[in-house]
């Protein structure tokens, strides 16, 4: 039995999946690697299988239909009995000793989840040229509690695109299973944020450390940047559900409400833009049945779009705060 399993959910990733699989199989701790193809329409399945070069540590399966990254990861979780699991995105790679270092830290400190800051790059031939995902300066090791984790996923605090939920920790599989924790299969955005938050609330200890070799390629228009109406609605619903968790103190509730407000504004704006584009006036009007902070964002966005000469003239390019 492998000590750790690497879970890779992929959809139409034929151009990147081979390098992701190879970097996982090359880890010094010899992990199992489980690829779940989310019903791709390209050659992802065959490319992923070929990347293993016959390794018995690689499992590749295909979803019966496109079900989203959460369902794919849950299927991967069901296929392993490893002590630890970690996610690798299909267009990312890892340094060969990354998992070995993370496991040593986790076991030495009895941590349940350990994540290293991500190195974001624009050229695979120059790994030394990167920006850090969460914090630009070294911080050593930081234990992150529930309230802090929620706050560090609010762009006004951590910076847009620097949310802590983007990190890819190693996680004790048994602890997740014992607590009944799995990915929310309704979510296609911020599904990691939701799982990590619920795990921390359930008492699992989460440590973040300086970068150890997770490399993410900055690709314009990646899934994590595509905010559909339904995806944003499900993030809002997830925050709403977490507000019902038992034992939340005032600080935790305030952090969750702030994150929910931010998501609600984004969700309402995208709803409005889609409704206007479809000439659905009834749906557009319903967007204004909302709290004042949401209505204010919609009004400001409309005024900017139509009356600000320096503002882009395409509504979908707006990003209200």
């Amino acid at each position: 039995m492998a000590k750790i399993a690497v879970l890779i959910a992929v959809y139409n990733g034929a151009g990147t999946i081979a390098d992701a699989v190879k970097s996982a199989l090359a880890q010094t701790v010899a992990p199992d690697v489980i690829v779940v193809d989310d019903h791709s329409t390209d050659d992802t399945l065959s490319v992923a299988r070929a990347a293993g070069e016959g390794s018995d540590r690689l499992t590749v399966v295909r979803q019966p239909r496109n079900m989203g990254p959460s369902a794919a990861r849950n299927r991967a979780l069901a296929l392993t009995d490893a002590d630890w699991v970690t996610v690798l995105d299909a267009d990312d790679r890892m340094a060969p000793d990354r998992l070995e270092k993370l496991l040593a830290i986790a076991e030495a400190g009895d941590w349940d989840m350990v994540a290293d800051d991500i190195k974001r790059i624009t050229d695979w031939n120059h790994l030394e040229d990167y920006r850090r995902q969460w914090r630009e300066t070294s911080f050593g090791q930081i234990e992150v509690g529930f309230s802090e984790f929620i706050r560090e996923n609010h762009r006004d605090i951590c910076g847009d695109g620097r949310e802590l939920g983007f990190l890819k920790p190693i996680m004790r599989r048994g602890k997740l299973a014992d607590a009944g924790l799995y990915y929310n299969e309704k979510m296609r955005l911020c599904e990691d944020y939701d799982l990590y938050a619920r795990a921390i609330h359930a008492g699992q200890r989460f440590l973040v450390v300086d970068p150890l070799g997770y490399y993410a390629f900055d690709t314009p228009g990646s899934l994590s940047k595509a905010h559909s109406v339904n995806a944003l609605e499900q993030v809002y619903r997830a925050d709403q559900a977490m507000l019902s968790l038992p034992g939340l103190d005032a600080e935790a509730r305030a952090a969750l409400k702030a994150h929910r407000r931010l998501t609600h504004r984004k969700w309402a704006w995208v709803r409005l833009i889609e409704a206007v584009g479809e000439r659905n006036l009834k749906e557009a009007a319903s967007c204004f049945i909302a709290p004042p902070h949401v209505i204010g964002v919609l009004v400001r966005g409309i005024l900017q779009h139509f009356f600000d000469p320096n503002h882009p003239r395409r509504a979908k390019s707006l990003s209200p705060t």
Side-chain angles (χ1 to χ4, degrees), residues 8-321:
I8 307 177
V10 57
Y11 175 70
N12 286 353
T16 63
I17 187 62
D19 287 324
V21 168
K22 290 176 181 178
S23 80
L25 288 172
Q27 292 295 300
T28 54
V29 290
D32 284 340
V33 180
I34 303 173
V35 177
V36 179
D37 175 16
D38 197 17
H39 208 77
S40 296
T41 59
D42 64 4
D43 295 329
T44 293
L45 189 69
S46 59
V47 172
R49 287 172 172 162
E53 298 178 343
S55 173
D56 61 1
R57 292 191 287 112
L58 174 64
T59 300
V60 182
V61 298
R62 177 178 168 85
Q63 295 284 69
R65 64 184 186 282
N66 183 263
M67 301 168 68
S70 293
R73 290 172 182 172
N74 282 342
R75 186 173 181 190
L77 278 169
L79 291 172
T80 182
D81 58 0
D83 296 331
W84 296 84
V85 293
T86 191
V87 165
L88 175 65
D89 284 347
D91 50 359
D92 297 343
R93 304 177 195 174
M94 296 184 289
D97 59 352
R98 173 180 177 258
L99 295 185
E100 181 179 357
K101 290 178 178 178
L102 284 172
L103 285 168
I105 293 170
E107 293 174 343
D110 197 27
W111 300 99
D112 301 306
M113 305 164 67
V114 181
D116 58 328
D117 206 354
I118 290 172
K119 294 182 176 181
R120 305 202 68 89
I121 63 168
T122 57
D123 186 343
W124 286 115
N125 294 316
H126 295 281
L127 298 183
E128 71 281 3
D129 295 330
Y130 64 87
R131 69 174 182 87
R132 292 170 57 145
Q133 172 70 46
W134 185 41
R135 294 187 178 177
E136 283 298 341
T137 58
S138 296
F139 54 82
Q141 299 183 353
I142 298 177
E143 181 174 5
V144 179
F146 183 82
S147 298
E148 182 180 5
F149 179 79
I150 300 298
R151 287 197 305 272
E152 290 295 330
N153 280 277
H154 193 297
R155 71 182 190 187
D156 291 347
I157 295 173
C158 61
D160 196 13
R162 291 187 175 275
E163 291 86 348
L164 195 54
F166 280 115
L167 304 192
K168 302 294 187 285
I170 62 169
M171 301 176 284
R172 292 188 189 270
R173 184 194 58 81
K175 285 284 191 77
L176 293 175
D178 290 346
L181 292 171
Y182 300 93
Y183 287 94
N184 180 345
E185 296 192 5
K186 294 181 179 180
M187 300 182 73
R188 289 178 178 247
L189 176 70
C190 298
E191 66 278 357
D192 295 309
Y193 153 79
D194 174 68
L195 178 64
Y196 303 164
R198 289 185 288 118
I200 295 169
H201 175 267
Q204 298 184 29
R205 301 177 64 223
F206 186 25
L207 183 72
V208 181
V209 303
D210 280 322
L212 295 176
Y214 188 107
Y215 295 97
F217 193 81
D218 276 330
T219 305
S222 67
L223 179 62
S224 62
K225 298 175 183 176
H227 300 166
S228 71
V229 171
N230 181 66
L232 288 165
E233 178 182 359
Q234 294 307 323
V235 179
Y236 174 87
R237 302 293 180 201
D239 280 338
Q240 188 71 18
M242 281 194 279
L243 279 166
S244 300
L245 291 172
L248 294 180
D249 58 22
E251 183 181 8
R253 294 186 67 81
L256 274 170
K257 287 180 178 179
H259 192 272
R260 183 185 62 177
R261 283 195 299 272
L262 178 66
T263 303
H264 198 173
R265 293 169 185 170
K266 294 178 181 178
W267 173 30
W269 178 252
V270 176
R271 278 184 63 209
L272 177 62
I273 294 307
E274 288 198 3
V276 170
E278 296 168 358
R279 300 185 184 278
N280 187 337
L281 297 182
K282 183 178 180 180
E283 176 67 12
S286 72
C287 295
F288 289 87
I289 304 174
H293 69 89
V294 173
I295 295 174
V297 165
L298 299 182
V299 171
R300 286 197 302 273
I302 291 171
L303 291 175
Q304 286 178 331
H305 178 62
F306 289 105
F307 299 106
D308 183 353
N310 298 317
H311 203 281
R313 288 299 179 184
R314 294 178 64 188
K316 67 180 181 180
S317 71
L318 301 182
S319 180
T321 56

